[in-house]
Amino acid sequence: QTWTNGINEAAKMALLAWEKETGIELVQINGQRHYGGPPPGWEGSPPPASTEVYIGRLPQDIYENTLIPLFQSVGRLYEFRLMMAFSGLNRGFAYARYASLQDAQRAIATFHRFQLCQGHAIVVCWSTQKRELLVSSLPASLSQQELEARLHMVTEGIHSVTLHTSPGQKQDKLAVLKYKSHRAAALAKKALMEGNLRLGKEVMRVDWLDPQLKKKLQHCKEEPSSSWVQGGKSLAVPRPVAASLSLQNVLECLNLLCWKHCLNTPLFMTRCVQVNPNGWQKFWYRVVIPGDDEPISGFTWVSPDRQGQCKQEKAKMVAALHVLRLLGESLHSQLPAF
């Protein structure tokens, strides 16, 4: 475990001593520090998601050596997750998943408005299992295929993606992302916000999906999957099943589009320019199409430790999709109006 800048050093040292004394193992991944899931000695299936409670308004200098024994005092914990900031302080909230519904109810009854320390009454309530995110400020030219491909590269656990015309801004689009679990959705929200992902001129906004907006969108027709069509022949990127959209598929579509319009094969350059503490890598990319005066360049964040595709390939995929979209727009604008 790497601590940052000596902030809250005494509490951090106390936590390390507690881990050593108890033999408890804490694992930090993507801004969350985990205990259990399952804990040592657990037998049988995991408890249902409904046994999880939300713990809010935590003092940021308090860690698991205080919180886990406290919440274990009313029932058996299956999992405890403390949200962490880069500084090493906690982010003020955590989740405790109990072995039974009765234990979770007891935790809420015992610890809601509990004075954890002077002037700090914590909030303990049922965890809301939100699984849907709203992504807005997306460009009108964005296709379903490009959006899904980018999301699969930086998040995991996607169940479905639907693209809509923005009700308030007709020139923009918005998307509803449904994930397989609340945890996957929460991790995706954090990754998309901290990755500063751009799919157009504006940085896209990511929020939990509001129930009222969800009802409104359900009455609207979803956007059909788009494609680049030239000369009466569709050059659509195949719609990915899970993360099946491959770099080879995208490059084949891009090369075919260039060939049809008498352009040479694009040349790609990628370089890692930044790595954040969670292992995310920021790549710069440039694509040159011989014969074209202006290269296309940009930046993208690539997620850590995803199997089956190296980070350079993921950056190249983003660059290829960017060029494919811009080239399709440019060629479309040159078509005569009828």
Side-chain angles (χ1 to χ4, degrees), residues 54-114:
Y54 167 81
I55 307 159
R57 299 183 186 174
L58 289 171
Q60 289 188 277
D61 58 352
I62 285 181
Y63 298 126
E64 291 89 342
N65 55 320
T66 297
L67 297 172
I68 288 179
L70 179 68
F71 283 89
Q72 275 183 331
S73 68
V74 295
R76 187 180 183 191
L77 282 176
Y78 174 77
E79 182 181 45
F80 190 91
R81 298 184 286 125
L82 182 63
M83 306 301 114
M84 300 299 298
F86 289 147
S87 65
L89 295 173
N90 76 63
R91 291 166 57 198
F93 65 102
Y95 296 89
R97 190 172 173 185
Y98 282 92
S100 70
L101 194 62
Q102 292 74 20
D103 288 344
Q105 289 173 328
R106 193 178 302 113
I108 293 172
T110 304
F111 296 124
H112 182 53
R113 298 181 180 175
F114 179 78

Side-chain angles (χ1 to χ4, degrees), residues 236-300:
V237 178
R239 180 185 177 95
V241 177
S244 63
L245 185 66
S246 69
L247 177 61
Q248 183 179 355
N249 296 146
V250 176
L251 291 179
E252 286 175 355
C253 290
L254 179 57
N255 292 339
L256 180 57
L257 185 58
C258 290
W259 174 79
K260 285 178 68 65
H261 293 277
C262 303
L263 298 172
N264 292 317
T265 302
L267 303 175
F268 291 82
M269 291 172 280
T270 60
R271 183 170 69 247
C272 180
V273 295
Q274 184 180 344
V275 180
N276 77 11
N278 279 346
W280 287 76
Q281 294 188 8
K282 186 176 184 179
F283 275 83
W284 166 86
Y285 61 82
R286 172 172 288 182
V287 185
V288 177
I289 302 177
D292 193 339
D293 294 335
E294 294 189 12
I296 298 168
S297 60
F299 293 90
T300 185

